[in-house]
Amino acid sequence: MSTRFKPKYNIKKGDTVVVIAGDDKDLKKPRKVLEVIVDKGRVVVEGVNIITKHTKPSAQNTKGGIVKKEAPINISNVMLWDAKAGAATKVKRNRENGKLVRVSKKSGEVIK
């Protein structure tokens, strides 16, 4: 990504999203965003893109072994979930009381 301008994304940590592309594609299963990596344009989504990581024993983890964890996927492969419409939705930004709020294009509801 270019470092000149910081990109603005419609997805934040804690949002519910659906995966619209890739191995874990499921348009009817909403999942939670654990982390947004803005400078790389990636998101970590709960239960998506599971990798196995081999860890050595350490002071915190005395056993070591194989650990399963989520790896980041591209932010373009997820779409915000609209609970009212029960489907994925695009987002528009409106100004209310001098603050920008995210609004679902399908149902017209404000996304918290």
Side-chain angles (χ1 to χ4, degrees):
M1 289 250 121
S2 171
T3 56
R4 188 168 175 193
F5 299 107
K6 186 179 175 188
K8 289 189 174 85
Y9 297 119
N10 294 322
I11 294 166
K12 296 180 181 177
K13 180 181 174 182
D15 282 347
T16 37
V17 295
V18 287
V19 180
I20 58 170
D23 292 341
D24 296 297
K25 175 181 174 177
D26 193 353
L27 299 174
K28 294 293 172 199
K29 188 175 181 186
R31 301 163 188 262
K32 192 176 179 188
V33 174
L34 302 175
E35 183 185 356
V36 178
I37 306 162
V38 177
D39 52 317
K40 290 187 177 174
R42 296 181 151 269
V43 286
V44 178
V45 183
E46 192 175 49
V48 173
N49 198 18
I50 302 289
I51 58 164
T52 52
K53 191 173 184 180
H54 298 270
T55 56
K56 280 187 171 181
S58 64
Q60 290 89 14
N61 185 13
T62 53
K63 280 217 164 194
I66 299 170
V67 178
K68 291 187 181 289
K69 61 179 268 182
E70 290 98 352
I73 59 171
N74 202 301
I75 202 160
S76 65
N77 293 343
V78 297
M79 205 170 185
L80 218 60
W81 176 258
D82 189 352
K84 188 177 178 187
T89 181
K90 289 183 178 180
V91 178
K92 64 181 176 181
R93 294 187 188 140
N94 285 347
R95 206 171 274 284
E96 285 182 15
N97 306 341
K99 275 195 148 188
L100 272 176
V101 291
R102 298 178 300 160
V103 178
S104 164
K105 281 193 175 181
K106 271 210 173 130
S107 65
E109 287 218 343
V110 175
I111 300 161
K112 281 146 186 91

